[in-house]
Amino acid sequence: MEEDKKQVIEENAKKIKEKIKQMHDNQDVEEAKKQLRELLVSLKPWDIPLIEQSLIKEGTTISQIALMCNLHVELFREHVLGGESLKGVPAWHPLDVLIKENHQLLKDSEKLTLYVKYLDNISTEEEKNRKIEEIKDFLATMFDLKKHYFKQQMLLFPYIERRGITGVPRVLWAKEEEILDKLKDSMREVKLDPDIAKLKKNLMGLSTAISDQIFRETNILYPTCWALLSEGEWVAIQNQSGLIGYYKIDLPSNGWKSEMKAINPYEVEEAIKEEQLSKLPMEVRNSMSLGMDNYTPVKEGAFKLDMGYLSIEELESIIKTLPFELTFIDGDDRLRYFTNNSNMIFLRTESTIGRKVEFCHPPSSVHIVKKIVQEFKEGKRDVAEFWININGKKVYIRYFPVKNKKGEYMGTLEVLQDITSMVNIHGEKRLMDFEN
């Protein structure tokens, strides 16, 4: 019985190898692709790894086997998109973009398993070193997966949290952190003189974690967002996605477009309807908290800033809390503002407000100040920086041109900071290292 199964595997591997060679040599690519798809559909899922192993033993390269993996992933993706919960997602819609990124991630997770199988078949030290370098280069290309996860954390999660769905985002975020840790561990291992057994374990763990996360996103997160979010909410997500970036895909210039006004999470006021509730995955329905989060950042007395809303009192308090001193010289070269910190490095008085900048500095240095301001106005300089010692403190002084949205000069900002405690900082102290 085992011999019969082995023979079937070898026969299928031979057929697949022929089709891969046709595709690789650009001979009847579409026909070969069609026949390969038909063959893959007929196989059992557990046959694929055995066939890959057979191909590796015959000397087929990873790039050639990846052609088969890509088709295998396409079949999986078609199965996913064929589900009722994600029907009607337009091409290059923000949700479709996330699905396309998962398509790439699934290919890469399969490629990781191929590398593990190749490590099982290494016979020389030279071959091992070459393969290790190849794995290192490949892992380096995967670090952009944090862009995929960051889009979900910062753009998708707030919309469903607003509607009282908080458990699912928490779990998904924790899993995303685990995946990034596994990727870092794998890269750390491969950069050393790696223990092959440990490296294989790391790569397989990373591959499994990525494919498991794709399953969670496809079956829980995406159907939830598709059922709940309005078109305006998707517009806001699309508008901000480009700031974060994408995982191994390029967006076309003629992608999804909408004339709807962008709606941010804090602007969502409508609770989940019964009709929407029935479309949510069971895992989501079982983890919902008590109703809508009705918080609004638009408080009485607050005014809209570029990003968010603050009252004058809040803004002044924030500026005073900053660990540096600010001084603003306007477009007329007049001192218009400075922060009134309790422990000022350079003492200033209110009587200097409105004073010409040239009269705020000693005669010996005023020509330097004028030169810096003039270069800012002409667009020749973006920063001027100095550091000095005052009363046992190391003080860092920087000047920046302040410009409006059109790029027009509005004034100069001076930033003073006591960096004495920072000069000798080494290593890391992370948030998780914090102790009360």
Side-chain angles (χ1 to χ4, degrees):
M1 191 71 176
E2 284 298 318
E3 283 299 316
D4 291 343
K5 185 176 180 180
K6 184 179 178 183
Q7 186 178 349
V8 170
I9 293 294
E10 288 175 354
E11 287 174 359
N12 283 329
K14 185 178 178 182
K15 291 176 186 175
I16 287 172
K17 189 174 181 179
E18 288 173 2
K19 301 307 169 192
I20 288 174
K21 189 174 186 309
Q22 276 183 253
M23 293 167 66
H24 194 263
D25 296 341
N26 292 319
Q27 298 174 5
D28 297 324
V29 174
E30 288 307 314
E31 182 59 29
K33 191 175 179 180
K34 178 185 173 186
Q35 292 174 9
L36 183 54
R37 283 171 66 92
E38 290 171 355
L39 182 56
L40 288 172
V41 168
S42 69
L43 296 174
K44 300 286 189 296
W46 50 84
D47 287 338
I48 300 293
L50 297 173
I51 289 171
E52 288 172 351
Q53 190 68 29
S54 176
L55 291 169
I56 288 168
K57 284 182 178 178
E58 291 180 16
T60 310
T61 66
I62 280 191
S63 62
Q64 290 174 326
I65 296 177
L67 291 172
M68 179 190 76
C69 291
N70 291 351
L71 280 175
H72 187 216
V73 170
E74 280 181 25
L75 293 173
F76 173 83
R77 182 170 180 265
E78 287 168 8
H79 171 71
V80 166
L81 289 179
E84 289 296 320
S85 58
L86 291 176
K87 268 194 172 178
V89 178
W92 297 108
H93 180 279
L95 184 55
D96 184 53
V97 169
L98 290 168
I99 293 169
K100 281 179 165 64
E101 288 181 328
N102 270 344
H103 187 195
Q104 295 299 321
L105 275 167
L106 197 57
K107 286 182 185 178
D108 286 352
S109 73
E110 290 209 8
K111 202 164 183 180
L112 289 171
T113 65
L114 286 179
Y115 278 122
V116 170
K117 290 167 188 173
Y118 265 88
L119 291 172
D120 282 331
N121 290 275
I122 286 174
S123 56
T124 67
E125 191 67 20
E126 181 184 355
E127 189 181 357
K128 171 192 163 186
N129 292 337
R130 188 171 64 250
K131 196 56 64 179
I132 292 299
E133 283 301 312
E134 195 177 319
I135 292 171
K136 188 193 301 181
D137 291 343
F138 179 67
L139 287 174
T141 72
M142 293 191 67
F143 274 89
D144 271 355
L145 67 82
K146 58 189 171 187
K147 293 179 179 178
H148 175 79
Y149 294 147
F150 196 66
K151 285 201 296 290
Q152 295 179 165
Q153 294 160 6
M154 297 297 119
L155 302 182
L156 291 191
F157 292 176
Y159 285 101
I160 59 177
E161 289 163 355
R162 177 74 171 180
R163 292 168 164 95
I165 301 169
T166 57
V168 170
R170 293 285 86 195
V171 171
L172 290 176
W173 196 329
K175 293 296 181 184
E176 289 162 358
E177 288 295 295
E178 287 176 16
I179 289 169
L180 289 170
D181 285 342
K182 288 179 187 293
L183 177 56
K184 290 172 189 172
D185 289 343
S186 296
M187 181 57 96
R188 197 177 299 117
E189 183 65 30
V190 83
K191 280 183 176 179
L192 305 170
D193 183 14
D195 178 309
I196 295 299
K198 187 177 179 182
L199 177 58
K200 283 164 52 182
K201 183 179 178 182
N202 285 351
L203 294 177
M204 280 305 300
L206 176 59
S207 175
T208 301
I210 288 172
S211 55
D212 286 351
Q213 188 71 347
I214 290 170
F215 180 85
R216 294 184 194 98
E217 291 170 7
T218 302
N219 291 281
I220 301 173
L221 178 61
Y222 297 165
T224 299
C225 293
W226 188 235
L228 296 180
L229 273 60
S230 67
E231 189 170 332
E233 293 168 72
W234 286 115
V235 169
I237 289 169
Q238 183 184 55
N239 291 347
Q240 298 172 82
S241 292
L243 299 173
I244 298 170
Y246 306 95
Y247 185 77
K248 296 189 178 183
I249 62 169
D250 296 315
L251 268 63
S253 57
N254 60 342
W256 182 76
K257 289 182 175 61
S258 171
E259 299 300 320
M260 294 293 290
K261 177 182 176 294
I263 299 173
N264 288 302
Y266 63 83
E267 296 173 303
V268 176
E269 298 177 350
E270 199 172 67
I272 297 174
K273 300 174 184 175
E274 282 297 324
E275 179 189 353
Q276 292 174 317
L277 188 63
S278 66
K279 295 178 182 177
L280 298 182
M282 188 61 69
E283 295 90 341
V284 175
R285 279 182 273 172
N286 291 340
S287 66
M288 291 177 66
S289 60
L290 301 175
M292 285 279 291
D293 174 6
N294 292 313
Y295 171 83
T296 176
V298 188
K299 305 291 187 183
E300 185 177 349
F303 55 94
K304 179 137 183 25
L305 297 167
D306 186 36
M307 289 291 169
Y309 299 83
L310 291 172
S311 66
I312 291 291
E313 182 183 14
E314 288 170 330
L315 183 58
E316 286 187 336
S317 299
I318 288 170
I319 292 173
K320 280 186 180 181
T321 305
L322 293 173
F324 37 75
E325 297 171 21
L326 303 176
T327 302
F328 177 64
I329 310 301
D330 69 14
D332 296 320
D333 300 340
R334 299 277 185 163
L335 195 157
R336 281 272 296 282
Y337 171 83
F338 62 85
T339 49
N340 188 21
N341 301 53
S342 56
N343 297 308
M344 297 175 72
I345 300 170
F346 288 172
L347 184 63
R348 290 176 175 81
T349 61
E350 191 173 358
S351 59
T352 59
I353 298 295
R355 196 178 189 189
K356 284 187 176 182
V357 67
E358 61 192 87
F359 299 148
C360 296
H361 293 266
S364 60
S365 62
V366 75
H367 67 289
I368 301 295
V369 174
K370 282 185 172 183
K371 183 175 186 294
I372 291 169
V373 171
Q374 188 59 37
E375 288 182 353
F376 283 165
K377 289 179 178 180
E378 294 171 358
K380 293 179 179 178
R381 182 185 289 273
D382 292 321
V383 64
E385 53 190 355
F386 312 91
W387 44 96
I388 57 176
N389 297 313
I390 301 179
N391 300 324
K393 296 178 180 178
K394 178 73 73 176
V395 178
Y396 191 27
I397 307 167
R398 287 174 290 175
Y399 297 95
F400 301 94
V402 177
K403 300 178 181 180
N404 62 20
K405 289 182 179 180
K406 296 179 182 178
E408 298 165 337
Y409 177 82
M410 296 177 67
T412 294
L413 184 69
E414 180 189 62
V415 182
L416 268 70
Q417 187 172 11
D418 176 1
I419 61 168
T420 309
S421 62
M422 302 180 194
V423 172
N424 296 315
I425 288 178
H426 298 288
E428 292 184 336
K429 182 179 180 181
R430 294 177 173 269
L431 183 63
M432 295 298 291
D433 299 326
F434 179 79
E435 293 180 2
N436 292 322

